[in-house]
Amino acid sequence: MKITGYRTIRTHRDWGRPVGDVNGYIASGITEVSIVVVETDEGVDGVALGSDHDIERIFPALEGQDPRGVSALYDRMLAHVFKAGHNGATFGGIATLDAALWDIKAKLVGEPLWRLLGASDRFVPGYASGLDIALTDEQLAHFYSVMAEHGFASGKLKGGRDLEADLRRLRIIRDTLAPNSSHPTLMLDANESWNLKQAVRYVTAVEQELDLAWIEEPLRRWDAHGHARLSQSVKAAVATGENLTGLEQFRSLFDLGSVDVVQAGAVWGVTHFLRLAYAAHARDLPISPVGLTSNPAVAHAAAAIPNHLTAEVQDLGAPFGVDVDEEYADGGIVLGDRPGAGLSIDEAAIRSVQHEGDWLQAAGPHVRPARAGLTLDRELSASSPAFAPRGA
């Protein structure tokens, strides 16, 4: 069996609400979604959602190879981009191809990916995450009430600008999820917007009012020393790692005891998640995948590892023209029995409807404000210089 080619398809996701974080947001709530299909000489295609960045350069590492050797092919892709490096967006292209290979492997044996990977339970515990920085209090309550109807008892707020607003909005999440738990679990995500002392003061102030399970990405992703000092200064666990592109980038975080909840971006694929999960497990650390709406295959991997804590669920729908064999119930993801990663696509429907939408816009959450992290203030309004648009 050989890999013969690939094709890419662009569709969109309509989130039905503005989505973003402290760095910015997408007002339209419409974002582009890339689908990659890996083709074989036996007619079994692998389908994956994620990034198609740099795939033209990466694919020669796979062409003519047997798709069943997924782990070896993952290392082959890393080696293929050795000189320029696999970091950043290139890692996303590798990840999407990797997820498509896992889809092929599971389809060939007629099993859902979760079973192929060794899971005995199709249920993946999760928490609700609204990407909710731009939502009004009423919209915030509505989103979490819908998630509560699906059994979720944990929620994560995008915040970090205004202490009083974050406290008020965390209480809204707590109260909305209360029907499912007498003590709903709360998390706060600052998306790398703080410096160390600001983080200590802000989290300490929150903890005087509310119990935080974790503070997520409080500092820059590579600041192992800062995360270690913060973890020692607050009660909340420090969660980070979703933007690290490669197992090697976690070394200093592990060595210095900088991370309490290891996070992996689902957009970085199945093999990366599995390897990181076992590296964390060797250190008695839990792992939590971020953004399963970006790569459903990672939910299957989460079901199969021993130290999965909880998975981020940002949306109950799917991209246009994409059907995912899973349900949301009892506060988590219930994976289906469809062979592979459970994805099917309607290419004709996707071709007939096109919407413009991109995460990478100047006002969006993937563009870091020029003054982010350069303040000692505990409260930052939307008009603060730290969060002003470039050129403002």
PDB file of all heavy atoms in Angstrom, residues 1-3 38-47 65-70 73 99-113 116 337-342:
ATOM      1  N   MET A   1       0.845  -1.196   0.000  1.00  0.00           N
ATOM      2  CA  MET A   1       0.000   0.000   0.000  1.00  0.00           C
ATOM      3  C   MET A   1       0.881   1.247   0.000  1.00  0.00           C
ATOM      4  O   MET A   1       1.856   1.328   0.750  1.00  0.00           O
ATOM      5  CB  MET A   1      -0.916   0.005   1.234  1.00  0.00           C
ATOM      6  CG  MET A   1      -1.924   1.134   1.249  1.00  0.00           C
ATOM      7  SD  MET A   1      -3.012   1.049   2.682  1.00  0.00           S
ATOM      8  CE  MET A   1      -4.291   2.168   2.173  1.00  0.00           C
ATOM      9  N   LYS A   2       0.537   2.239  -0.832  1.00  0.00           N
ATOM     10  CA  LYS A   2       1.371   3.430  -0.946  1.00  0.00           C
ATOM     11  C   LYS A   2       0.527   4.706  -0.930  1.00  0.00           C
ATOM     12  O   LYS A   2      -0.612   4.732  -1.401  1.00  0.00           O
ATOM     13  CB  LYS A   2       2.172   3.385  -2.249  1.00  0.00           C
ATOM     14  CG  LYS A   2       3.226   2.292  -2.306  1.00  0.00           C
ATOM     15  CD  LYS A   2       4.003   2.364  -3.599  1.00  0.00           C
ATOM     16  CE  LYS A   2       5.069   1.276  -3.654  1.00  0.00           C
ATOM     17  NZ  LYS A   2       5.835   1.316  -4.921  1.00  0.00           N
ATOM     18  N   ILE A   3       1.143   5.747  -0.408  1.00  0.00           N
ATOM     19  CA  ILE A   3       0.565   7.080  -0.468  1.00  0.00           C
ATOM     20  C   ILE A   3       0.840   7.643  -1.857  1.00  0.00           C
ATOM     21  O   ILE A   3       1.986   7.652  -2.319  1.00  0.00           O
ATOM     22  CB  ILE A   3       1.183   7.983   0.611  1.00  0.00           C
ATOM     23  CG1 ILE A   3       0.883   7.426   2.007  1.00  0.00           C
ATOM     24  CG2 ILE A   3       0.673   9.415   0.482  1.00  0.00           C
ATOM     25  CD1 ILE A   3       1.681   8.089   3.114  1.00  0.00           C
ATOM     26  N   VAL A  38      -5.439  12.734   2.369  1.00  0.00           N
ATOM     27  CA  VAL A  38      -4.283  11.977   1.884  1.00  0.00           C
ATOM     28  C   VAL A  38      -4.801  10.766   1.118  1.00  0.00           C
ATOM     29  O   VAL A  38      -5.614   9.993   1.638  1.00  0.00           O
ATOM     30  CB  VAL A  38      -3.370  11.537   3.050  1.00  0.00           C
ATOM     31  CG1 VAL A  38      -2.254  10.629   2.549  1.00  0.00           C
ATOM     32  CG2 VAL A  38      -2.774  12.775   3.734  1.00  0.00           C
ATOM     33  N   GLU A  39      -4.333  10.592  -0.111  1.00  0.00           N
ATOM     34  CA  GLU A  39      -4.828   9.551  -1.008  1.00  0.00           C
ATOM     35  C   GLU A  39      -3.847   8.379  -1.080  1.00  0.00           C
ATOM     36  O   GLU A  39      -2.637   8.565  -0.961  1.00  0.00           O
ATOM     37  CB  GLU A  39      -5.033  10.142  -2.405  1.00  0.00           C
ATOM     38  CG  GLU A  39      -6.000  11.324  -2.415  1.00  0.00           C
ATOM     39  CD  GLU A  39      -5.868  12.194  -3.651  1.00  0.00           C
ATOM     40  OE1 GLU A  39      -4.797  12.123  -4.315  1.00  0.00           O
ATOM     41  OE2 GLU A  39      -6.805  12.950  -3.952  1.00  0.00           O
ATOM     42  N   THR A  40      -4.386   7.174  -1.299  1.00  0.00           N
ATOM     43  CA  THR A  40      -3.561   5.971  -1.424  1.00  0.00           C
ATOM     44  C   THR A  40      -3.923   5.211  -2.693  1.00  0.00           C
ATOM     45  O   THR A  40      -4.957   5.455  -3.317  1.00  0.00           O
ATOM     46  CB  THR A  40      -3.753   5.029  -0.219  1.00  0.00           C
ATOM     47  OG1 THR A  40      -5.077   4.449  -0.288  1.00  0.00           O
ATOM     48  CG2 THR A  40      -3.594   5.777   1.108  1.00  0.00           C
ATOM     49  N   ASP A  41      -3.050   4.254  -3.057  1.00  0.00           N
ATOM     50  CA  ASP A  41      -3.282   3.468  -4.273  1.00  0.00           C
ATOM     51  C   ASP A  41      -4.357   2.398  -4.077  1.00  0.00           C
ATOM     52  O   ASP A  41      -4.723   1.715  -5.038  1.00  0.00           O
ATOM     53  CB  ASP A  41      -1.985   2.834  -4.761  1.00  0.00           C
ATOM     54  CG  ASP A  41      -1.357   1.887  -3.747  1.00  0.00           C
ATOM     55  OD1 ASP A  41      -1.873   1.785  -2.611  1.00  0.00           O
ATOM     56  OD2 ASP A  41      -0.343   1.253  -4.076  1.00  0.00           O
ATOM     57  N   GLU A  42      -4.873   2.253  -2.860  1.00  0.00           N
ATOM     58  CA  GLU A  42      -5.937   1.278  -2.615  1.00  0.00           C
ATOM     59  C   GLU A  42      -7.284   1.941  -2.377  1.00  0.00           C
ATOM     60  O   GLU A  42      -8.245   1.298  -1.943  1.00  0.00           O
ATOM     61  CB  GLU A  42      -5.560   0.370  -1.435  1.00  0.00           C
ATOM     62  CG  GLU A  42      -4.328  -0.502  -1.730  1.00  0.00           C
ATOM     63  CD  GLU A  42      -4.074  -1.529  -0.650  1.00  0.00           C
ATOM     64  OE1 GLU A  42      -4.963  -1.745   0.198  1.00  0.00           O
ATOM     65  OE2 GLU A  42      -2.980  -2.122  -0.661  1.00  0.00           O
ATOM     66  N   GLY A  43      -7.354   3.250  -2.629  1.00  0.00           N
ATOM     67  CA  GLY A  43      -8.625   3.952  -2.542  1.00  0.00           C
ATOM     68  C   GLY A  43      -9.081   4.315  -1.154  1.00  0.00           C
ATOM     69  O   GLY A  43     -10.214   4.781  -0.979  1.00  0.00           O
ATOM     70  N   VAL A  44      -8.258   4.109  -0.151  1.00  0.00           N
ATOM     71  CA  VAL A  44      -8.588   4.492   1.221  1.00  0.00           C
ATOM     72  C   VAL A  44      -7.969   5.860   1.499  1.00  0.00           C
ATOM     73  O   VAL A  44      -6.744   5.995   1.500  1.00  0.00           O
ATOM     74  CB  VAL A  44      -8.078   3.455   2.244  1.00  0.00           C
ATOM     75  CG1 VAL A  44      -8.441   3.898   3.660  1.00  0.00           C
ATOM     76  CG2 VAL A  44      -8.651   2.083   1.946  1.00  0.00           C
ATOM     77  N   ASP A  45      -8.795   6.857   1.691  1.00  0.00           N
ATOM     78  CA  ASP A  45      -8.324   8.216   1.936  1.00  0.00           C
ATOM     79  C   ASP A  45      -8.305   8.528   3.426  1.00  0.00           C
ATOM     80  O   ASP A  45      -9.181   8.085   4.171  1.00  0.00           O
ATOM     81  CB  ASP A  45      -9.221   9.235   1.232  1.00  0.00           C
ATOM     82  CG  ASP A  45      -9.113   9.185  -0.281  1.00  0.00           C
ATOM     83  OD1 ASP A  45      -8.140   8.590  -0.786  1.00  0.00           O
ATOM     84  OD2 ASP A  45     -10.003   9.747  -0.949  1.00  0.00           O
ATOM     85  N   GLY A  46      -7.332   9.316   3.831  1.00  0.00           N
ATOM     86  CA  GLY A  46      -7.287   9.829   5.190  1.00  0.00           C
ATOM     87  C   GLY A  46      -7.730  11.278   5.218  1.00  0.00           C
ATOM     88  O   GLY A  46      -7.277  12.086   4.394  1.00  0.00           O
ATOM     89  N   VAL A  47      -8.612  11.610   6.142  1.00  0.00           N
ATOM     90  CA  VAL A  47      -9.178  12.962   6.219  1.00  0.00           C
ATOM     91  C   VAL A  47      -8.801  13.580   7.556  1.00  0.00           C
ATOM     92  O   VAL A  47      -8.896  12.928   8.608  1.00  0.00           O
ATOM     93  CB  VAL A  47     -10.711  12.928   6.073  1.00  0.00           C
ATOM     94  CG1 VAL A  47     -11.288  14.342   6.125  1.00  0.00           C
ATOM     95  CG2 VAL A  47     -11.114  12.223   4.783  1.00  0.00           C
ATOM     96  N   GLN A  65       5.232   6.119   0.297  1.00  0.00           N
ATOM     97  CA  GLN A  65       5.431   5.373   1.531  1.00  0.00           C
ATOM     98  C   GLN A  65       4.159   4.619   1.923  1.00  0.00           C
ATOM     99  O   GLN A  65       3.050   4.964   1.502  1.00  0.00           O
ATOM    100  CB  GLN A  65       5.827   6.321   2.668  1.00  0.00           C
ATOM    101  CG  GLN A  65       7.108   7.090   2.412  1.00  0.00           C
ATOM    102  CD  GLN A  65       8.329   6.191   2.327  1.00  0.00           C
ATOM    103  OE1 GLN A  65       8.545   5.336   3.198  1.00  0.00           O
ATOM    104  NE2 GLN A  65       9.113   6.361   1.277  1.00  0.00           N
ATOM    105  N   ASP A  66       4.324   3.612   2.765  1.00  0.00           N
ATOM    106  CA  ASP A  66       3.186   2.866   3.303  1.00  0.00           C
ATOM    107  C   ASP A  66       2.577   3.682   4.440  1.00  0.00           C
ATOM    108  O   ASP A  66       3.258   3.983   5.429  1.00  0.00           O
ATOM    109  CB  ASP A  66       3.653   1.510   3.836  1.00  0.00           C
ATOM    110  CG  ASP A  66       2.501   0.588   4.216  1.00  0.00           C
ATOM    111  OD1 ASP A  66       1.474   1.094   4.722  1.00  0.00           O
ATOM    112  OD2 ASP A  66       2.628  -0.632   4.036  1.00  0.00           O
ATOM    113  N   PRO A  67       1.301   4.073   4.334  1.00  0.00           N
ATOM    114  CA  PRO A  67       0.704   4.961   5.343  1.00  0.00           C
ATOM    115  C   PRO A  67       0.545   4.329   6.711  1.00  0.00           C
ATOM    116  O   PRO A  67       0.290   5.039   7.697  1.00  0.00           O
ATOM    117  CB  PRO A  67      -0.661   5.305   4.737  1.00  0.00           C
ATOM    118  CG  PRO A  67      -0.991   4.144   3.871  1.00  0.00           C
ATOM    119  CD  PRO A  67       0.326   3.711   3.291  1.00  0.00           C
ATOM    120  N   ARG A  68       0.681   3.018   6.804  1.00  0.00           N
ATOM    121  CA  ARG A  68       0.481   2.361   8.086  1.00  0.00           C
ATOM    122  C   ARG A  68       1.624   2.605   9.071  1.00  0.00           C
ATOM    123  O   ARG A  68       1.451   2.419  10.269  1.00  0.00           O
ATOM    124  CB  ARG A  68       0.281   0.857   7.859  1.00  0.00           C
ATOM    125  CG  ARG A  68      -1.024   0.534   7.143  1.00  0.00           C
ATOM    126  CD  ARG A  68      -1.107  -0.898   6.697  1.00  0.00           C
ATOM    127  NE  ARG A  68      -0.168  -1.179   5.600  1.00  0.00           N
ATOM    128  CZ  ARG A  68      -0.138  -2.301   4.911  1.00  0.00           C
ATOM    129  NH1 ARG A  68      -0.993  -3.283   5.201  1.00  0.00           N
ATOM    130  NH2 ARG A  68       0.737  -2.470   3.924  1.00  0.00           N
ATOM    131  N   GLY A  69       2.774   3.024   8.581  1.00  0.00           N
ATOM    132  CA  GLY A  69       3.912   3.284   9.477  1.00  0.00           C
ATOM    133  C   GLY A  69       3.875   4.690  10.034  1.00  0.00           C
ATOM    134  O   GLY A  69       4.816   5.482   9.862  1.00  0.00           O
ATOM    135  N   VAL A  70       2.803   5.009  10.738  1.00  0.00           N
ATOM    136  CA  VAL A  70       2.520   6.398  11.090  1.00  0.00           C
ATOM    137  C   VAL A  70       3.635   7.039  11.924  1.00  0.00           C
ATOM    138  O   VAL A  70       4.089   8.147  11.627  1.00  0.00           O
ATOM    139  CB  VAL A  70       1.177   6.509  11.845  1.00  0.00           C
ATOM    140  CG1 VAL A  70       0.874   7.959  12.157  1.00  0.00           C
ATOM    141  CG2 VAL A  70       0.048   5.917  11.015  1.00  0.00           C
ATOM    142  N   LEU A  73       6.674   7.684   9.866  1.00  0.00           N
ATOM    143  CA  LEU A  73       6.426   8.741   8.892  1.00  0.00           C
ATOM    144  C   LEU A  73       6.396  10.117   9.553  1.00  0.00           C
ATOM    145  O   LEU A  73       6.787  11.125   8.943  1.00  0.00           O
ATOM    146  CB  LEU A  73       5.116   8.475   8.161  1.00  0.00           C
ATOM    147  CG  LEU A  73       5.123   7.263   7.220  1.00  0.00           C
ATOM    148  CD1 LEU A  73       3.747   7.046   6.606  1.00  0.00           C
ATOM    149  CD2 LEU A  73       6.183   7.420   6.131  1.00  0.00           C
ATOM    150  N   ALA A  99      -2.497  13.329  11.294  1.00  0.00           N
ATOM    151  CA  ALA A  99      -3.853  12.929  11.669  1.00  0.00           C
ATOM    152  C   ALA A  99      -4.527  12.170  10.529  1.00  0.00           C
ATOM    153  O   ALA A  99      -5.283  11.212  10.769  1.00  0.00           O
ATOM    154  CB  ALA A  99      -4.672  14.161  12.050  1.00  0.00           C
ATOM    155  N   ALA A 100      -4.277  12.585   9.290  1.00  0.00           N
ATOM    156  CA  ALA A 100      -4.853  11.875   8.144  1.00  0.00           C
ATOM    157  C   ALA A 100      -4.295  10.456   8.038  1.00  0.00           C
ATOM    158  O   ALA A 100      -5.019   9.518   7.676  1.00  0.00           O
ATOM    159  CB  ALA A 100      -4.575  12.657   6.864  1.00  0.00           C
ATOM    160  N   LEU A 101      -3.016  10.275   8.372  1.00  0.00           N
ATOM    161  CA  LEU A 101      -2.422   8.933   8.345  1.00  0.00           C
ATOM    162  C   LEU A 101      -3.046   8.037   9.411  1.00  0.00           C
ATOM    163  O   LEU A 101      -3.311   6.848   9.170  1.00  0.00           O
ATOM    164  CB  LEU A 101      -0.910   9.021   8.539  1.00  0.00           C
ATOM    165  CG  LEU A 101      -0.124   9.742   7.441  1.00  0.00           C
ATOM    166  CD1 LEU A 101       1.356   9.783   7.790  1.00  0.00           C
ATOM    167  CD2 LEU A 101      -0.335   9.090   6.081  1.00  0.00           C
ATOM    168  N   TRP A 102      -3.285   8.585  10.594  1.00  0.00           N
ATOM    169  CA  TRP A 102      -3.950   7.806  11.635  1.00  0.00           C
ATOM    170  C   TRP A 102      -5.371   7.421  11.207  1.00  0.00           C
ATOM    171  O   TRP A 102      -5.857   6.326  11.507  1.00  0.00           O
ATOM    172  CB  TRP A 102      -3.981   8.587  12.944  1.00  0.00           C
ATOM    173  CG  TRP A 102      -2.711   8.514  13.729  1.00  0.00           C
ATOM    174  CD1 TRP A 102      -1.806   9.512  13.930  1.00  0.00           C
ATOM    175  CD2 TRP A 102      -2.192   7.366  14.418  1.00  0.00           C
ATOM    176  NE1 TRP A 102      -0.756   9.058  14.699  1.00  0.00           N
ATOM    177  CE2 TRP A 102      -0.967   7.747  15.016  1.00  0.00           C
ATOM    178  CE3 TRP A 102      -2.640   6.061  14.586  1.00  0.00           C
ATOM    179  CZ2 TRP A 102      -0.201   6.875  15.772  1.00  0.00           C
ATOM    180  CZ3 TRP A 102      -1.870   5.181  15.341  1.00  0.00           C
ATOM    181  CH2 TRP A 102      -0.672   5.592  15.924  1.00  0.00           C
ATOM    182  N   ASP A 103      -6.033   8.328  10.487  1.00  0.00           N
ATOM    183  CA  ASP A 103      -7.367   8.041   9.973  1.00  0.00           C
ATOM    184  C   ASP A 103      -7.323   6.852   9.008  1.00  0.00           C
ATOM    185  O   ASP A 103      -8.167   5.945   9.084  1.00  0.00           O
ATOM    186  CB  ASP A 103      -7.908   9.287   9.268  1.00  0.00           C
ATOM    187  CG  ASP A 103      -9.350   9.138   8.822  1.00  0.00           C
ATOM    188  OD1 ASP A 103     -10.188   8.719   9.647  1.00  0.00           O
ATOM    189  OD2 ASP A 103      -9.646   9.454   7.654  1.00  0.00           O
ATOM    190  N   ILE A 104      -6.323   6.836   8.123  1.00  0.00           N
ATOM    191  CA  ILE A 104      -6.166   5.710   7.194  1.00  0.00           C
ATOM    192  C   ILE A 104      -5.918   4.416   7.953  1.00  0.00           C
ATOM    193  O   ILE A 104      -6.541   3.377   7.679  1.00  0.00           O
ATOM    194  CB  ILE A 104      -4.994   5.978   6.220  1.00  0.00           C
ATOM    195  CG1 ILE A 104      -5.336   7.120   5.255  1.00  0.00           C
ATOM    196  CG2 ILE A 104      -4.643   4.703   5.425  1.00  0.00           C
ATOM    197  CD1 ILE A 104      -4.174   7.562   4.387  1.00  0.00           C
ATOM    198  N   LYS A 105      -5.018   4.466   8.911  1.00  0.00           N
ATOM    199  CA  LYS A 105      -4.633   3.258   9.654  1.00  0.00           C
ATOM    200  C   LYS A 105      -5.845   2.624  10.350  1.00  0.00           C
ATOM    201  O   LYS A 105      -6.032   1.396  10.324  1.00  0.00           O
ATOM    202  CB  LYS A 105      -3.545   3.591  10.666  1.00  0.00           C
ATOM    203  CG  LYS A 105      -2.884   2.385  11.331  1.00  0.00           C
ATOM    204  CD  LYS A 105      -1.757   2.849  12.247  1.00  0.00           C
ATOM    205  CE  LYS A 105      -1.098   1.659  12.951  1.00  0.00           C
ATOM    206  NZ  LYS A 105      -0.224   0.889  12.037  1.00  0.00           N
ATOM    207  N   ALA A 106      -6.680   3.457  10.956  1.00  0.00           N
ATOM    208  CA  ALA A 106      -7.861   2.934  11.640  1.00  0.00           C
ATOM    209  C   ALA A 106      -8.902   2.423  10.645  1.00  0.00           C
ATOM    210  O   ALA A 106      -9.555   1.405  10.886  1.00  0.00           O
ATOM    211  CB  ALA A 106      -8.457   4.012  12.547  1.00  0.00           C
ATOM    212  N   LYS A 107      -9.055   3.112   9.521  1.00  0.00           N
ATOM    213  CA  LYS A 107     -10.003   2.659   8.506  1.00  0.00           C
ATOM    214  C   LYS A 107      -9.611   1.288   7.947  1.00  0.00           C
ATOM    215  O   LYS A 107     -10.479   0.460   7.649  1.00  0.00           O
ATOM    216  CB  LYS A 107     -10.083   3.688   7.373  1.00  0.00           C
ATOM    217  CG  LYS A 107     -10.857   4.950   7.725  1.00  0.00           C
ATOM    218  CD  LYS A 107     -10.786   5.960   6.595  1.00  0.00           C
ATOM    219  CE  LYS A 107     -11.627   7.194   6.897  1.00  0.00           C
ATOM    220  NZ  LYS A 107     -11.469   8.237   5.861  1.00  0.00           N
ATOM    221  N   LEU A 108      -8.317   1.057   7.804  1.00  0.00           N
ATOM    222  CA  LEU A 108      -7.858  -0.202   7.231  1.00  0.00           C
ATOM    223  C   LEU A 108      -8.223  -1.405   8.101  1.00  0.00           C
ATOM    224  O   LEU A 108      -8.417  -2.516   7.590  1.00  0.00           O
ATOM    225  CB  LEU A 108      -6.340  -0.166   7.005  1.00  0.00           C
ATOM    226  CG  LEU A 108      -5.874   0.723   5.849  1.00  0.00           C
ATOM    227  CD1 LEU A 108      -4.360   0.849   5.857  1.00  0.00           C
ATOM    228  CD2 LEU A 108      -6.367   0.180   4.516  1.00  0.00           C
ATOM    229  N   VAL A 109      -8.313  -1.183   9.402  1.00  0.00           N
ATOM    230  CA  VAL A 109      -8.689  -2.300  10.286  1.00  0.00           C
ATOM    231  C   VAL A 109     -10.170  -2.230  10.666  1.00  0.00           C
ATOM    232  O   VAL A 109     -10.654  -3.036  11.464  1.00  0.00           O
ATOM    233  CB  VAL A 109      -7.809  -2.329  11.554  1.00  0.00           C
ATOM    234  CG1 VAL A 109      -6.358  -2.582  11.187  1.00  0.00           C
ATOM    235  CG2 VAL A 109      -7.940  -1.052  12.371  1.00  0.00           C
ATOM    236  N   GLY A 110     -10.889  -1.256  10.090  1.00  0.00           N
ATOM    237  CA  GLY A 110     -12.322  -1.157  10.328  1.00  0.00           C
ATOM    238  C   GLY A 110     -12.709  -0.775  11.736  1.00  0.00           C
ATOM    239  O   GLY A 110     -13.792  -1.136  12.208  1.00  0.00           O
ATOM    240  N   GLU A 111     -11.863  -0.001  12.405  1.00  0.00           N
ATOM    241  CA  GLU A 111     -12.119   0.378  13.795  1.00  0.00           C
ATOM    242  C   GLU A 111     -12.090   1.893  13.945  1.00  0.00           C
ATOM    243  O   GLU A 111     -11.366   2.588  13.226  1.00  0.00           O
ATOM    244  CB  GLU A 111     -11.030  -0.212  14.708  1.00  0.00           C
ATOM    245  CG  GLU A 111     -11.008  -1.721  14.776  1.00  0.00           C
ATOM    246  CD  GLU A 111     -12.050  -2.277  15.730  1.00  0.00           C
ATOM    247  OE1 GLU A 111     -12.971  -1.525  16.114  1.00  0.00           O
ATOM    248  OE2 GLU A 111     -11.938  -3.458  16.094  1.00  0.00           O
ATOM    249  N   PRO A 112     -12.847   2.423  14.916  1.00  0.00           N
ATOM    250  CA  PRO A 112     -12.661   3.836  15.260  1.00  0.00           C
ATOM    251  C   PRO A 112     -11.267   4.032  15.839  1.00  0.00           C
ATOM    252  O   PRO A 112     -10.694   3.116  16.446  1.00  0.00           O
ATOM    253  CB  PRO A 112     -13.743   4.087  16.308  1.00  0.00           C
ATOM    254  CG  PRO A 112     -14.036   2.749  16.896  1.00  0.00           C
ATOM    255  CD  PRO A 112     -13.836   1.769  15.783  1.00  0.00           C
ATOM    256  N   LEU A 113     -10.723   5.223  15.639  1.00  0.00           N
ATOM    257  CA  LEU A 113      -9.346   5.474  16.053  1.00  0.00           C
ATOM    258  C   LEU A 113      -9.151   5.257  17.544  1.00  0.00           C
ATOM    259  O   LEU A 113      -8.104   4.756  17.974  1.00  0.00           O
ATOM    260  CB  LEU A 113      -8.951   6.901  15.653  1.00  0.00           C
ATOM    261  CG  LEU A 113      -7.514   7.324  15.962  1.00  0.00           C
ATOM    262  CD1 LEU A 113      -6.503   6.375  15.337  1.00  0.00           C
ATOM    263  CD2 LEU A 113      -7.285   8.766  15.488  1.00  0.00           C
ATOM    264  N   LEU A 116      -8.430   1.640  18.071  1.00  0.00           N
ATOM    265  CA  LEU A 116      -7.121   1.271  17.537  1.00  0.00           C
ATOM    266  C   LEU A 116      -6.000   1.707  18.478  1.00  0.00           C
ATOM    267  O   LEU A 116      -5.013   0.983  18.675  1.00  0.00           O
ATOM    268  CB  LEU A 116      -6.919   1.910  16.163  1.00  0.00           C
ATOM    269  CG  LEU A 116      -5.539   1.711  15.538  1.00  0.00           C
ATOM    270  CD1 LEU A 116      -5.353   0.266  15.079  1.00  0.00           C
ATOM    271  CD2 LEU A 116      -5.305   2.669  14.376  1.00  0.00           C
ATOM    272  N   ASP A 337     -18.550   5.091  16.448  1.00  0.00           N
ATOM    273  CA  ASP A 337     -17.986   3.823  15.985  1.00  0.00           C
ATOM    274  C   ASP A 337     -17.553   3.853  14.525  1.00  0.00           C
ATOM    275  O   ASP A 337     -17.100   2.829  13.994  1.00  0.00           O
ATOM    276  CB  ASP A 337     -19.015   2.698  16.157  1.00  0.00           C
ATOM    277  CG  ASP A 337     -19.155   2.283  17.610  1.00  0.00           C
ATOM    278  OD1 ASP A 337     -18.123   2.171  18.296  1.00  0.00           O
ATOM    279  OD2 ASP A 337     -20.300   2.079  18.064  1.00  0.00           O
ATOM    280  N   ARG A 338     -17.679   4.984  13.866  1.00  0.00           N
ATOM    281  CA  ARG A 338     -17.279   5.062  12.460  1.00  0.00           C
ATOM    282  C   ARG A 338     -15.778   4.772  12.342  1.00  0.00           C
ATOM    283  O   ARG A 338     -14.980   5.317  13.109  1.00  0.00           O
ATOM    284  CB  ARG A 338     -17.595   6.451  11.901  1.00  0.00           C
ATOM    285  CG  ARG A 338     -17.346   6.623  10.404  1.00  0.00           C
ATOM    286  CD  ARG A 338     -17.626   8.058   9.982  1.00  0.00           C
ATOM    287  NE  ARG A 338     -19.015   8.426  10.217  1.00  0.00           N
ATOM    288  CZ  ARG A 338     -19.448   9.693  10.214  1.00  0.00           C
ATOM    289  NH1 ARG A 338     -18.602  10.694  10.027  1.00  0.00           N
ATOM    290  NH2 ARG A 338     -20.736   9.944  10.415  1.00  0.00           N
ATOM    291  N   PRO A 339     -15.367   3.924  11.411  1.00  0.00           N
ATOM    292  CA  PRO A 339     -13.927   3.638  11.264  1.00  0.00           C
ATOM    293  C   PRO A 339     -13.122   4.909  10.990  1.00  0.00           C
ATOM    294  O   PRO A 339     -13.578   5.807  10.282  1.00  0.00           O
ATOM    295  CB  PRO A 339     -13.881   2.683  10.063  1.00  0.00           C
ATOM    296  CG  PRO A 339     -15.212   2.003  10.079  1.00  0.00           C
ATOM    297  CD  PRO A 339     -16.179   3.065  10.528  1.00  0.00           C
ATOM    298  N   GLY A 340     -11.939   4.958  11.580  1.00  0.00           N
ATOM    299  CA  GLY A 340     -11.098   6.133  11.450  1.00  0.00           C
ATOM    300  C   GLY A 340     -11.379   7.149  12.535  1.00  0.00           C
ATOM    301  O   GLY A 340     -11.840   6.816  13.623  1.00  0.00           O
ATOM    302  N   ALA A 341     -11.110   8.412  12.206  1.00  0.00           N
ATOM    303  CA  ALA A 341     -11.310   9.501  13.170  1.00  0.00           C
ATOM    304  C   ALA A 341     -12.736  10.019  13.169  1.00  0.00           C
ATOM    305  O   ALA A 341     -13.030  10.989  13.868  1.00  0.00           O
ATOM    306  CB  ALA A 341     -10.336  10.632  12.869  1.00  0.00           C
ATOM    307  N   GLY A 342     -13.610   9.389  12.392  1.00  0.00           N
ATOM    308  CA  GLY A 342     -15.020   9.743  12.440  1.00  0.00           C
ATOM    309  C   GLY A 342     -15.421  10.920  11.582  1.00  0.00           C
ATOM    310  O   GLY A 342     -16.517  11.464  11.754  1.00  0.00           O
TER     311      GLY A 342
END
